[in-house]
Every structure is written in C-alpha cells, then in structure tokens.
Amino acid sequence: MGRAVTVLGHNTDSAFLVIAGVCVMLFLAIIGLTAYFVFRYRRSNGEIPEDIHGNALLETVWTVLPIFIVLYMFYYGWLGYDARRKAPEGALTVRAFAQMWAWSFEYENGVTSDRLVAPVGRPVKVALNSRDLIHSLYVPAFRMKQDAVPGLERTVWFTAEKTGEYDLFCTEYCGTGHSQMLSKAVVMEEAEFAAWLSGAPEAKAALATPSAGPSGAELFKSKGCVACHTTDGRPLVGPTLKGIFGKKVRVSTNGKEREVTIDEDYIRRSELEPASDVVVGFPPVMPPQKGVLKEEEIEALIEYIKSLK
Ligand code: CUA
C-alpha cells in the first residue's frame, strides 16, 4: 500500500504495528510453548498425565496480563480515533457527496469537483453526506475511511504531507456500479490549489451566472453519469449514449416492451424517472434525478447527449 502521506496516517500505521507486534509475540509464545510441551512431555518419555485443580496465582496472571495487553492496544486505537474526530480550527472545509455511483466535492465558494482536491500541509475537513444509500469514502494513502450515511453528516479530516494523486474509492458495496465509484484525491501546492479553486473550469462555471452554468460535458462527469454510461459506444452498467439521439430503442414500460424514439422528452424522462422506460437488456438501477438536477442542468445534459454523434 505504500507509506502514509498524512500525520494521522502515520498514527494509524504505528497503531497497526503495535497491535500486529503484540499478536506476533503472543503467537510465537503460544506456538513455541505448545511445541516445547509436546516435545518435552511426549508419551515416549514415559510421562504420566496428571489432573491439576486450580492455581490462583496462574489464573490471576493469565487474567490480569491480557487485560493490560488489550487496554494497551485499545489506548493506541483510541488515540487515533479521537484525533480523527476533531478537525483543527480553521481547517478548509469540503462537503463530499456520495451517490450511486459517483463522488462530488463541494468547496466553500461553490466550486464542485468529481475529485477531492486539497492543498498540501493544510488541514482539510471533509463533511461527508450521501444522496441515496450507504457508501464509504476511502483514501488508502491517507489511511482515511468513513461511511457516508444518508441524512447524517459525518466529518473526517486530514493534512496531506506530500503532493500527488492518490486513489479514492467507495468501500461499501452499494450496487451494480460500486466497483466504478472511483476517483482521486489530488494534493497540490498551496499556490496551485488557490489557482485551481478560483480558475478551474468547474470553478468558472459554478461562479458564473446560472444561464452560463456548467456545460453538459462537465455535468456528465460531476453528476456521476459517467460511472454507468460511456460516450464511445461501449455499454457499461447502462447503455452508451453515443449517437442515440433520434434512434429507436426497445424499452420496458410497466413490464411491457415497446419501441420508442429517443427525443428530448424521452431523455428528460429517463433522467428524472429512469424506471419509467428501461432499455431492454439493462438492469433498472439508475437513481432518479428528480429533485437532484436543476432545470438548466437537465437541458444542458440533453444538449450534450444530442451532440454525441
Ligand atoms: Cu458507493 Cu460502493
């Protein structure tokens, strides 16, 4: 997995080493003694087994000693857990949203991104939410893992020590597209981060007037469509969107198959209530976007899909 790149990550690693070390020592002691006794008191030595009834000293030792060992491991684990619960004052706050099957990260100035972008050396607090069911945010290099539970905001934080791109993914099985719920945590130099935060394409779009909102292509990524639909002709969890506008397609409507022509109304209905017409051959797993997408976002996506020749 490589070295941790956060301070808390190093704590996690040392807690892991301590616990693994205790386990290895116990393992060696138990197996070593077992092997020794098997050899030392073997039957061919003429040993006669004898029942023993109670030994207060021995019983006290093997009760008290493990209590301390377990408390020691608990103490190490608690230190790490406690440090993770309280983000330092003045941490940069990022709101993270999980949904089937994509991540989106929202910054205080309204910028949204499908990657968790963070400055190096500065504490970043992630306020984690889910739009549908339980997902789990995991960045192995940060040793950071937290469930995203609908209706309950959980926070985690980290201070990255090194710039770079680190894997970020969902680690709670959440349905067909779970394995595609992949993204990156991108750690930048402070200046680069500031530029990104104010000048990224997504940033410009989010800060501009609503009529010039994010383009359909950007929404296609940031709203998670890309997790299930390709634009290059390959089917994924859902059908590809390449060249579909104006084509006829067989759908299942209330359990009955019928043929429809893909027009603007059809795309709109498929975004808002995907279960109403399900393309034959694909599972009915798309989450409805009613109340999720804004009107101008629906229109931008329709225009984008029309443009995919
Ligand atoms: Cu989201 Cu697995």
Side-chain angles (χ1 to χ4, degrees):
M1 188 186 274
R3 282 177 57 80
V5 297
T6 55
V7 178
L8 293 182
H10 298 310
N11 294 352
T12 306
D13 286 359
S14 41
F16 175 81
L17 277 176
V18 163
I19 292 169
V22 168
C23 294
V24 167
M25 283 188 323
L26 285 176
F27 176 80
L28 291 179
I30 291 166
I31 297 297
L33 279 176
T34 306
Y36 172 71
F37 287 155
V38 164
F39 178 76
R40 172 71 180 74
Y41 299 106
R42 64 191 185 277
R43 182 177 281 214
S44 60
N45 264 6
E47 294 289 344
I48 308 296
E50 194 187 323
D51 282 339
I52 301 168
H53 292 285
N55 184 324
L57 177 68
L58 210 54
E59 284 171 22
T60 309
V61 168
W62 81 45
T63 307
V64 172
L65 200 63
I67 286 178
F68 281 106
I69 294 175
V70 168
L71 281 178
Y72 177 61
M73 295 196 286
F74 171 78
Y75 170 72
Y76 246 91
W78 171 260
L79 282 187
Y81 173 75
D82 196 47
R84 269 167 202 280
R85 285 190 332 149
K86 299 184 215 114
E89 290 284 319
L92 175 87
T93 302
V94 183
R95 298 192 76 200
F97 293 91
Q99 70 186 81
M100 291 184 282
W101 287 284
W103 296 100
S104 57
F105 301 94
E106 234 176 76
Y107 292 78
E108 275 157 343
N109 65 351
V111 168
T112 60
S113 167
D114 57 346
R115 300 185 306 168
L116 173 57
V117 182
V120 71
R122 186 140 66 100
V124 176
K125 183 168 111 180
V126 182
L128 191 55
N129 300 271
S130 172
R131 291 202 167 107
D132 36 49
L133 37 74
I134 299 177
H135 301 270
S136 187
L137 177 74
Y138 187 27
V139 184
F142 295 179
R143 310 291 191 264
M144 183 174 89
K145 196 183 209 179
Q146 176 67 56
D147 276 9
V149 182
L152 178 69
E153 188 170 272
R154 316 288 309 267
T155 59
V156 277
W157 71 276
F158 63 90
T159 304
E161 296 172 321
K162 261 173 67 184
T163 56
E165 287 200 6
Y166 306 100
D167 290 329
L168 178 156
F169 53 89
C170 177
T171 178
E172 180 78 58
Y173 182 68
C174 56
T176 315
H178 163 69
S179 63
Q180 284 160 61
M181 216 166 147
L182 304 166
S183 184
K184 293 274 183 203
V186 184
V187 179
M188 298 174 170
E189 294 294 347
E190 186 71 46
E192 200 188 344
F193 174 75
W196 176 86
L197 195 58
S198 59
E202 300 102 301
K204 276 195 224 116
L207 293 171
T209 50
S211 61
S215 74
E218 283 158 3
L219 288 167
F220 191 70
K221 272 173 73 184
S222 67
K223 295 294 175 186
C225 318
V226 70
C228 302
H229 299 285
T230 69
T231 58
D232 64 4
R234 282 176 308 129
L236 219 55
V237 176
T240 183
L241 303 183
K242 183 185 168 148
I244 58 163
F245 194 78
K247 290 243 171 70
K248 286 186 167 36
V249 66
R250 288 202 70 75
V251 296
S252 164
T253 308
N254 295 324
K256 281 211 186 83
E257 276 193 28
R258 63 186 186 118
E259 195 171 72
V260 293
T261 302
I262 298 177
D263 55 12
E264 292 186 6
D265 283 346
Y266 173 80
I267 296 175
R268 174 182 295 270
R269 200 162 62 243
S270 298
E271 286 173 20
L272 298 180
E273 301 160 39
S276 57
D277 299 303
V278 180
V279 176
V280 171
F282 290 94
V285 292
M286 177 164 156
Q289 300 300 307
K290 210 172 197 163
V292 178
L293 292 179
K294 298 189 204 92
E295 177 55 30
E296 64 264 23
E297 293 174 333
I298 298 167
E299 276 160 25
L301 281 166
I302 292 175
E303 286 312 309
Y304 176 64
I305 292 168
K306 280 166 80 171
S307 75
L308 298 170
K309 297 275 166 7

